[in-house]
């Protein structure tokens, strides 16, 4: 039941800042956040998102070191996974976004069978998105937004963030996370070098 309440809180938080988040979906900061070269049926792509105030964009230093497409973090980079927004982009293999969500839930619950999991759809201007919320028995919660920019793109993407269950900045961090998700933009084709790390 707690997982359901958590999902409802996230949904309410999303509605509360929907207007301001969409207003922030303006010009990007100096180029795309991440990009990928074309590969067979997958055309070259870029992903960008408006970066909330106080967050640092990185694609090419810390993100590359941990094997992801981009990260957003506040303050100094510590290498700790909490309070870091992580962008992953991968070639689409599963038939639907719901299948991606189910596969992720299965992996999480295999690692922590007593964890609680919930999900809800997220309205995005240009992509289908679903949000998964996991409450681990280690008192660390994970929120993962899966998005599908369309079959012709050949890719799917996710934003994720881990937070301590009792993090005093939880609400502000989740608000920033949701703003990043709804402001994320996929573009097809090559782009100039990325900025932000």
């Amino acid at each position: 039941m707690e997982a359901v309440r958590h999902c409802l809180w996230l949904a309410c938080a999303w509605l509360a800042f929907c207007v301001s988040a969409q207003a922030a979906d303006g010009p990007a900061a100096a180029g795309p956040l991440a990009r990928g070269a074309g590969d067979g049926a997958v055309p070259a792509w870029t992903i960008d998102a408006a970066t909330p105030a106080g967050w640092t964009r990185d694609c090419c230093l810390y993100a590359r070191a941990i094997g992801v497409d981009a990260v957003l973090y506040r303050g100094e980079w510590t290498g700790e996974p909490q309070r870091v927004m992580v962008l992953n982009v991968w070639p689409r293999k599963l038939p639907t976004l719901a299948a991606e969500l189910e596969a992720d839930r299965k992996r999480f619950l295999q690692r922590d069978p007593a964890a609680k999991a919930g999900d809800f759809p997220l309205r995005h201007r240009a992509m289908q998105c679903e949000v998964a919320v996991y409450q681990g028995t280690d008192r660390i919660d994970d929120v993962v937004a899966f998005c599908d920019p369309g079959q012709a793109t050949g890719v799917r993407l996710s934003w994720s963030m881990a937070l301590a269950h009792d993090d005093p900045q939880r609400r502000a961090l989740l608000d920033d996370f949701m703003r990043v998700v709804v402001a994320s933009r996929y573009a097809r084709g090559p782009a100039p070098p990325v900025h932000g790390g």
Side-chain angles (χ1 to χ4, degrees), residues 88-136:
N88 279 297
V89 183
W90 65 92
R92 57 191 298 139
K93 293 187 174 111
L94 297 178
T96 64
L97 199 62
E100 298 281 5
L101 208 68
E102 182 56 35
D104 190 68
R105 181 186 297 109
K106 183 177 179 181
R107 284 190 298 269
F108 189 89
L109 293 175
Q110 282 174 341
R111 292 193 308 268
D112 188 354
K116 298 174 183 176
D119 59 78
F120 62 90
L122 178 69
R123 189 178 60 189
H124 188 289
R125 286 179 178 180
M127 295 186 278
Q128 177 190 4
C129 295
E130 298 275 341
V131 177
V133 181
Y134 304 112
Q135 293 180 288

Side-chain angles (χ1 to χ4, degrees), residues 2 4 9 40 82 107 145 149 159 165 173 179:
E2 190 177 352
V4 173
W9 180 88
Q82 292 184 43
R107 284 190 298 269
W159 280 103
H165 186 72
L173 290 163
R179 287 188 180 98

Side-chain angles (χ1 to χ4, degrees), residues 28-36 45-48 57-60 64 69 189-197:
L33 175 61
R35 68 177 177 170
W45 54 265
T46 63
I47 303 290
D48 203 5
R57 299 157 56 100
D58 174 82
C59 68
C60 309
R64 187 171 293 164
D69 292 289
V194 292
H195 300 273

